[in-house]
Amino acid sequence: MDKKQANVEQAIENIKKMLATMNYGSITLIVQDNTIVQIEKNEKIRLK
């Protein structure tokens, strides 16, 4: 597995973990030179 593929696999695992703990919000991927360099999670808390 090359470095780029390993980067994508790790990003997918991190995204799965983030999705499992979120109810509302967004996940943003920051890409530089065809490589994911940052993942941002913005979570909203809904007050009823």
Side-chain angles (χ1 to χ4, degrees):
M1 182 181 316
D2 66 356
K3 186 176 179 182
K4 187 178 283 189
Q5 182 65 28
N7 176 267
V8 171
E9 294 295 325
Q10 183 173 4
I12 290 170
E13 288 304 312
N14 284 315
I15 292 166
K16 286 180 183 179
K17 288 177 187 175
M18 289 177 177
L19 286 171
T21 62
M22 284 179 65
N23 289 322
Y24 301 97
S26 62
I27 296 175
T28 305
L29 302 178
I30 308 300
V31 178
Q32 182 177 351
D33 297 327
N34 281 343
T35 303
I36 299 169
V37 295
Q38 185 173 321
I39 303 172
E40 297 176 356
K41 173 181 164 184
N42 295 312
E43 188 168 4
K44 307 292 182 186
I45 298 173
R46 305 262 177 162
L47 303 176
K48 296 180 181 185

